Amino acid sequence: MKLKSLILGSVAAAGLSTAGFAADLGVLTSLDVCDSLGISGLTISSADNCLQITGEVKYEFNWGDYNGTFPGMGTATHAGTRNVMDNDSVTVNGVVYDNDWSSDVDSWLKFVGTASSDFGPASATIKIKNEHKVTVVNEGYAVPAAGGAAVYTAPAAANANVVIDEAYVSIGDTTVIMAGKKGSVANFGDDEPFNFLGLFNSDAVDKGVMFAKDLPYDGGHVIQVVSDLGNGVVVKGGLENLDSNATAAFGVGGYYDAVAGAQNAGTLVGVVEYAGDGITAHVTGMAGGILDGIVENWAVHAGVTGTFDMFKVRAAGAYSANNANDTHWNVLASAEATFDMFKIALSGEAAGGQNAGVAVATQTGIGGSIGATVTEGVSINLGGKWFDEDNNVANNESYQVAAQLVAAVSETIKITGEIGVYGTNKAAAVATAGQTDFYGAAELAWAPGGGFTSSVKGEVHQNGAYKVTFKAAKAFQ
């Protein structure tokens, strides 16, 4: 029995119990509004409103000895951390505590009520979200910050709060006006490398290129307009971060100097996008902290991807600055060629900038891969990537080389195996230069249909780290 039928059947049963509910039954079971608005999925309609319900539940469990970080992979000045899984432990009275684990349930439920208007569909959206996660490191034992004997600290209670992730209204068709709490209209796409291992700095900024983290702040309380001009051109504009979601200070511990949180309130966002004739491209501009009448920081992100028969090319860049003479730039280029059973990809990246007007380290990286379809459902990938954290300093490089096998055992089961090595010529406090860490990983993924996916993955490292990960997810719409 379909879920919609079950819901409406329950409403019918309840409605027949009283004359009042019976009179409303025809209104509740009408689907004409949803059909006329082109809305499908799980819906409930009234005489003039269609309520669409979507949601998802994801679960992830990790267990092993993986919380440490492989020495030498380092932390970039303004690109985040590129850490490789490593083991660590705490010894108390001769007993070694080294196991780590985490259990994480992410869920969300979204309601969109839509009706027709003279300006196009008018909608109200509410999305509730919850992350319920517990993380345990070294079985709960830790060394106090001030030193001394290790002590047991009970893991923090899981966050069970349900939050309103989105709450906004919108109206329009080719031009849509939106206001409330939601994500940004900024476009940060067309910037991921094509090679299968990616690039070190790209991974550190969540794939691609990016300006300094959280500069400017976006999303939150917003007023936005999106307009489709035709011929593949879309323009977007918004006033975002009107609720000043910055903390008391901005940039503490990061690349930028601290600025009072309230001064970062209000971000003006403008976007131009194009999609057509094998090309997708965008330019996103942002100016932060405008509500006090002074632009405290600004940023630009741009990307373009071209697909021409057997070839794909991509270029992307990001730049940001603030009124304290801090700047950051990040660029990336990638190309891919497909020849029958082979696929070849090459990528490069670079990043740099200034801190208070003084140049910081310029960083560069390259990566490449070659893939081959051996038989139907079986493919292999060979690749590597290299990164120099400071082009002006010797012995500051890191690398990864790996081989991957992907085999579709059936229409619903896929096995992925990978072996490789991380390495660096950087010296570490407890080791000499020229460290390496060989690793192996295997994953079994299952997608039986119905939107359900699940996987089990095991990973072991030469440095002693190991990790087992189980995932399961299901979305409905």
Side-chain angles (χ1 to χ4, degrees):
M1 180 181 293
K2 292 184 178 180
L3 184 57
K4 182 194 299 183
S5 300
L6 180 62
I7 292 175
L8 295 178
S10 300
V11 172
L16 291 174
S17 62
T18 65
F21 281 120
D24 293 335
L25 184 58
V27 173
L28 287 172
T29 58
S30 171
L31 300 179
D32 294 340
V33 174
C34 298
D35 293 340
S36 64
L37 291 170
I39 299 173
S40 61
L42 176 59
T43 57
I44 302 175
S45 70
S46 66
D48 51 14
N49 275 277
C50 176
L51 177 63
Q52 183 183 43
I53 306 172
T54 57
E56 183 180 30
V57 175
K58 295 190 297 184
Y59 178 70
E60 179 175 333
F61 175 72
N62 296 286
W63 179 87
D65 185 5
Y66 55 85
N67 186 66
T69 56
F70 177 65
M73 299 309 291
T75 301
T77 307
H78 44 258
T81 303
R82 294 178 300 277
N83 287 324
V84 176
M85 190 173 78
D86 195 3
N87 66 330
D88 67 352
S89 62
V90 172
T91 302
V92 181
N93 297 325
V95 179
V96 178
Y97 297 92
D98 56 3
N99 282 346
D100 311 311
W101 62 84
S102 67
S103 185
D104 182 16
V105 178
D106 295 332
S107 58
W108 60 268
L109 196 59
K110 187 173 182 177
F111 303 88
V112 182
T114 307
S116 60
S117 79
D118 294 338
F119 192 69
S123 299
T125 299
I126 298 176
K127 180 181 178 181
I128 57 177
K129 183 179 179 180
N130 172 244
E131 180 180 8
H132 195 270
K133 182 175 182 178
V134 174
T135 300
V136 178
V137 177
N138 293 329
E139 302 173 41
Y141 281 90
V143 177
V151 296
Y152 175 77
T153 303
N159 179 14
N161 294 330
V162 176
V163 299
I164 303 297
D165 188 53
E166 293 182 350
Y168 66 94
V169 295
S170 65
I171 188 170
D173 189 1
T174 56
T175 297
V176 181
I177 303 171
M178 296 163 284
K181 181 181 180 182
K182 66 183 295 290
S184 177
V185 294
N187 186 336
F188 299 133
D190 284 309
D191 65 346
E192 294 190 26
F194 294 130
N195 57 304
F196 100 91
L197 283 180
L199 296 167
F200 278 107
N201 188 73
S202 170
D203 291 344
V205 298
D206 195 20
K207 309 296 183 183
V209 300
M210 187 51 67
F211 38 79
K213 188 177 181 181
D214 292 333
L215 174 72
Y217 289 100
D218 58 13
H221 291 192
V222 304
I223 303 171
Q224 300 168 335
V225 178
V226 176
S227 184
D228 186 344
L229 303 183
N231 297 317
V233 179
V234 176
V235 295
K236 303 177 181 180
L239 287 172
E240 303 181 354
N241 186 34
L242 300 178
D243 54 328
S244 184
N245 59 14
T247 54
F250 170 74
V252 174
Y255 181 53
Y256 285 86
D257 297 332
V259 177
Q263 290 180 296
N264 289 283
T267 300
L268 180 64
V269 181
V271 184
V272 178
E273 299 175 347
Y274 173 77
D277 300 325
I279 295 176
T280 58
H282 76 275
V283 176
T284 296
M286 308 173 70
I290 65 172
L291 293 188
D292 64 355
I294 301 174
V295 175
E296 270 73 29
N297 41 70
W298 61 275
V300 176
H301 187 286
V304 57
T305 301
T307 303
F308 312 100
D309 295 325
M310 300 181 299
F311 301 96
K312 292 174 66 176
V313 293
R314 172 170 288 166
Y319 181 84
S320 61
N322 69 4
N323 55 12
N325 294 321
D326 298 326
T327 64
H328 175 57
W329 58 266
N330 183 195
V331 295
L332 181 149
S334 189
E336 179 184 272
T338 302
F339 307 99
D340 295 326
M341 61 180 291
F342 294 101
K343 181 179 293 185
I344 301 172
L346 182 66
S347 305
E349 63 181 352
Q354 295 182 335
N355 186 5
V358 179
V360 298
T362 299
Q363 305 170 333
T364 56
I366 58 174
S369 65
I370 179 169
T373 302
V374 180
T375 62
E376 184 178 356
V378 178
S379 61
I380 59 173
N381 293 298
L382 304 174
K385 61 182 180 181
W386 170 91
F387 190 77
D388 188 345
E389 282 209 47
D390 189 340
N391 292 354
N392 299 317
V393 178
N395 298 330
N396 225 6
E397 293 83 34
S398 301
Y399 66 88
Q400 180 189 6
V401 179
Q404 184 186 71
L405 172 68
V406 181
V409 178
S410 68
E411 293 183 354
T412 62
I413 298 176
K414 182 175 70 174
I415 297 176
T416 303
E418 182 174 320
I419 57 173
V421 59
Y422 288 97
T424 179
N425 59 13
K426 297 171 61 177
V430 295
T432 60
Q435 304 160 90
T436 59
D437 176 33
F438 289 89
Y439 71 93
E443 181 181 54
L444 175 66
W446 182 40
F452 178 87
T453 59
S454 183
S455 65
V456 177
K457 180 180 180 180
E459 184 174 352
V460 294
H461 284 248
Q462 174 194 6
N463 61 34
Y466 60 93
K467 185 179 185 180
V468 177
T469 300
F470 170 79
K471 295 181 180 180
K474 169 70 173 76
F476 63 88
Q477 57 184 7

